[in-house]
Amino acid sequence: MEYDVIVVGAGPAGLSAAYQAKQLNADLSVCVVEKGSEVGAHLLSGAVFEPRALNELIPNWKELGAPLHTEVSADRIYLLKGAEAATQVPGFAVPKTMHNKGNFIISLGNLCRWLAEQCENIGVEIFPGFAAAEILYNESGAVYGIATGDMGIGRDGTKKDTFMPGMELHAPITLFAEGARGHLGKQLIERFKLDKDRDPQHYGLGIKEIWKIPEAQHQPGLVVHTAGWPLRESNSHGGGFLYHLEDRQVAVGLITDLSYSNPHLSPFDEFQRYKHHPRIAEHLAGGERLSYGARAICKGGLQSQPKMVFPGGVLIGDDAGTLNFAKIKGNHTAMKSGMIAAECLVNAYAAREAEERSPIELTQYSEQYRASWAYEELHAQRNFGPAQHRWGNFWGSAYAFFDINICNGHVPWTLRDPIADHSTLKPANECKPIAYPKPDGKLSFDKLSSVYLSNTNHEEDQPAHLTLRDATLPIRENLPIFDEPAQRYCPAGVYEVVTEGDGQPRFQINAQNCVHCKTCDIKDPAQNIVWVTPEGGGGPNYPNM
Ligand SMILES: Cc1cc2nc3c(=O)[nH]c(=O)nc-3n(C[C@H](O)[C@H](O)[C@H](O)COP(=O)(O)OP(=O)(O)OC[C@H]3O[C@@H](n4cnc5c(N)ncnc54)[C@H](O)[C@@H]3O)c2cc1C
Ligand code: SF4
């Protein structure tokens, strides 16, 4: 199928790009492929939403019914000093990037469902349930589109009765908007050496739940952020969040930096015990857990951003790591990066003959991006993430206060963070084991009942989408050295080491449980696990994450 523009991924970056391209030139044919069963099914964010990009893209969003219902009404930051103790950080001492006046607490899934409707109203074609599985290159090496995955292939690789071959979609320009650790984005970065001279991308794993709480505890618009306990006990970094949305709902989550070094750490169990801290439990007590999910978040900032342009395509949003970690916000910058790509491609089409179909290289893009407010804010706050890694949450935040609040980000130095997250684990026998408490079934739960609430589903009879470059390595190396950390870092219980009748350990992959967070692809110390797209439509089915 021939299009003028292909977009891979219906998140905020992809949909904003599609909308802007069609809005600026209604004659362009624009299509979006999305691997989730519907738009929003795979989206998971906090989310405190800064509406700046949306104001530019669709200024009358209020009239059009955008689901921004809850304006931030109060902002609290706590330093959790232990399982019981906490100190509230006074407003004046908080890095100003963490203030949320004028922002909204939203469900990203619902925002994107609405954005998709706006796109379709102006003629964008959206194909949910279709994963872009392969990049198409022409004879000169430029990208000329993507192929969606075949459907109906059995576990053993044979075609089933339901077999449907994948489709090839061709276009002079393809926008890759797969979000953090995009699986095609990763291949493009490698092929075109887009990360040359950049720091490696850094990630956190965000685990989130939505609760319905008693009316008396509900404070719509309240934003709570925390640092310190429980991650500090293992010298790990990250932070928690709790947001009161509309309709008695509360979003609660913990982001564990994937630079942690203790292989005994389990981000899932850290999150479960986090909810028992009195400053968090007081919001959730007596409530009911409605949903569960997990997703990696990009946090390397500008120093880790790859070059975004290559012949025939552009990486936008978190496929290129546009998130501003000093704000823990990436939706507005992802949208803006997509809008800039759309503006550039519309100009590129205006400058060529109508029948010309060769791949476009958006040479203007880098300059336009550098001139944008998205780049400006990332530049001003570029030292936040590296400072947190170097000096921990407390001293890192103190440094951020100096850099961001006092110097407005105009310091003459740029901190680097050159160690990739998969290289930070220490051998298990050098680290303190962590004894996690048993879930109480009221505030904390086990993994399997949690995964159940993600509504994840994959056709069982298909090739595993979690592939191993070397199938023997988990047992041969990861188990003796790191006690196979995949058993603990996967928030969906996909990886297990089981002992067979012969007493030999075996590495088992329960691929159906996967919630597409991408942590295994990031954290596996040998980079042996490679996440590839399963059959389209497989994966979580989040209602409003
Ligand atoms: C726990 C957590 C909390 C966060 N909190 C906030 C917050 O409070 N405020 C904020 O602004 N930001 C927050 N963020 C960050 C924000 O969610 C991201 O920056 C943003 O979602 C990035 O947008 P994106 O469009 O680049 O990617 P995504 O939102 O990840 O969207 C990518 C889309 O592409 C699809 N896709 C991926 N690969 C393929 C493929 N091969 N084929 C077809 N489809 C594909 C995915 O299914 C998905 O729908 C948070 C993130 C996390 C994980
Ligand atoms: S298998 Fe990998 S991508 Fe899937 S849930 Fe586990 S860690 Fe995340």
Side-chain angles (χ1 to χ4, degrees), residues 8-14 33-36 40 42-50 108 130-133 177-180 182-184 205-208 225 241 243 254-255 294-297 316-319 322-323 327-334 518 531 533:
V8 179
V33 289
E34 165 55 51
K35 68 178 164 66
H42 289 185
L43 291 173
L44 183 150
S45 192
V48 177
F49 181 68
E50 193 173 309
L108 181 64
F130 287 91
E178 303 162 286
H183 122 272
L184 301 179
L205 168 59
I207 304 184
K208 173 181 165 184
H225 284 120
F241 62 88
Y243 307 146
L254 183 72
I255 297 177
R295 180 75 175 99
I297 182 168
I316 56 174
D318 278 344
D319 228 352
T322 52
L323 180 130
K327 290 185 172 175
I328 331 172
K329 291 187 186 66
N331 289 314
H332 64 304
T333 42
K518 309 283 181 79
W531 189 101
T533 43

Side-chain angles (χ1 to χ4, degrees), residues 199-202 237 257 259 299-304 324-326 378-393 395-397 399-400 403-404 413-419:
D199 286 352
Q201 184 56 267
H202 296 283
H237 305 141
D257 284 6
S259 58
K299 47 189 250 345
L302 218 49
Q303 294 88 314
S304 302
N324 182 348
F325 192 53
L378 278 158
H379 187 260
Q381 291 143 33
R382 68 195 178 283
N383 288 327
F384 182 90
Q388 300 281 324
H389 272 189
R390 234 177 244 213
W391 299 306
N393 288 143
W395 290 111
S397 299
Y399 168 83
D403 187 324
I404 296 171
W413 57 83
T414 292
L415 301 177
R416 308 300 296 259
D417 198 351
I419 303 175

Side-chain angles (χ1 to χ4, degrees), residues 235-388:
N235 273 330
S236 312
H237 305 141
F241 62 88
L242 185 142
Y243 307 146
H244 286 242
L245 300 108
E246 66 267 17
D247 194 24
R248 293 200 281 122
Q249 295 194 32
V250 162
V252 57
L254 183 72
I255 297 177
T256 300
D257 284 6
L258 290 177
S259 58
Y260 69 82
S261 61
N262 184 338
H264 301 296
L265 185 127
S266 158
F268 173 85
D269 293 292
E270 295 287 328
F271 173 51
Q272 294 306 318
R273 64 176 175 151
Y274 170 71
K275 288 179 284 171
H276 285 270
H277 194 286
R279 289 285 73 78
I280 301 302
E282 65 190 358
H283 299 268
L284 305 178
E288 180 198 358
R289 188 171 71 139
L290 303 179
S291 41
Y292 168 88
R295 180 75 175 99
I297 182 168
C298 278
K299 47 189 250 345
L302 218 49
Q303 294 88 314
S304 302
Q305 237 171 54
K307 186 171 171 253
M308 290 148 98
V309 177
F310 46 88
V314 190
L315 295 173
I316 56 174
D318 278 344
D319 228 352
T322 52
L323 180 130
N324 182 348
F325 192 53
K327 290 185 172 175
I328 331 172
K329 291 187 186 66
N331 289 314
H332 64 304
T333 42
M335 290 175 75
K336 184 67 181 171
S337 70
M339 288 154 65
I340 299 169
E343 284 146 27
C344 295
L345 73 87
V346 167
N347 290 341
Y349 269 108
R352 56 161 50 193
E353 299 295 328
E355 59 280 3
E356 169 72 69
R357 298 294 297 165
S358 61
I360 293 175
E361 184 158 0
L362 280 191
T363 43
Q364 289 180 353
Y365 182 82
S366 307
E367 202 181 312
Q368 295 295 324
Y369 176 64
R370 282 178 84 92
S372 72
W373 55 255
Y375 181 90
E376 191 187 350
E377 70 169 66
L378 278 158
H379 187 260
Q381 291 143 33
R382 68 195 178 283
N383 288 327
F384 182 90
Q388 300 281 324

Side-chain angles (χ1 to χ4, degrees), residues 376-489:
E376 191 187 350
E377 70 169 66
L378 278 158
H379 187 260
Q381 291 143 33
R382 68 195 178 283
N383 288 327
F384 182 90
Q388 300 281 324
H389 272 189
R390 234 177 244 213
W391 299 306
N393 288 143
F394 181 76
W395 290 111
S397 299
Y399 168 83
F401 179 83
F402 164 76
D403 187 324
I404 296 171
N405 283 28
I406 298 181
C407 307
N408 283 320
H410 295 313
V411 296
W413 57 83
T414 292
L415 301 177
R416 308 300 296 259
D417 198 351
I419 303 175
D421 295 340
H422 69 263
S423 305
T424 54
L425 284 180
K426 293 182 180 156
N429 61 8
E430 292 174 18
C431 299
K432 199 170 152 204
I434 306 173
Y436 290 109
K438 281 214 156 46
D440 69 350
K442 291 185 188 127
L443 286 173
S444 47
F445 304 90
D446 64 21
K447 248 185 210 176
L448 281 186
S449 64
S450 302
V451 175
Y452 177 75
L453 290 182
S454 72
N455 299 316
T456 196
N457 187 30
H458 292 89
E459 162 61 46
E460 271 189 46
D461 187 15
Q462 64 170 305
H465 70 280
L466 300 149
T467 61
L468 299 177
R469 290 183 210 267
D470 174 351
T472 67
L473 192 139
I475 298 300
R476 205 185 65 230
E477 282 185 18
N478 275 2
L479 186 62
I481 304 176
F482 302 114
D483 192 23
E484 187 42 81
Q487 303 176 82
R488 289 172 295 281
Y489 61 59

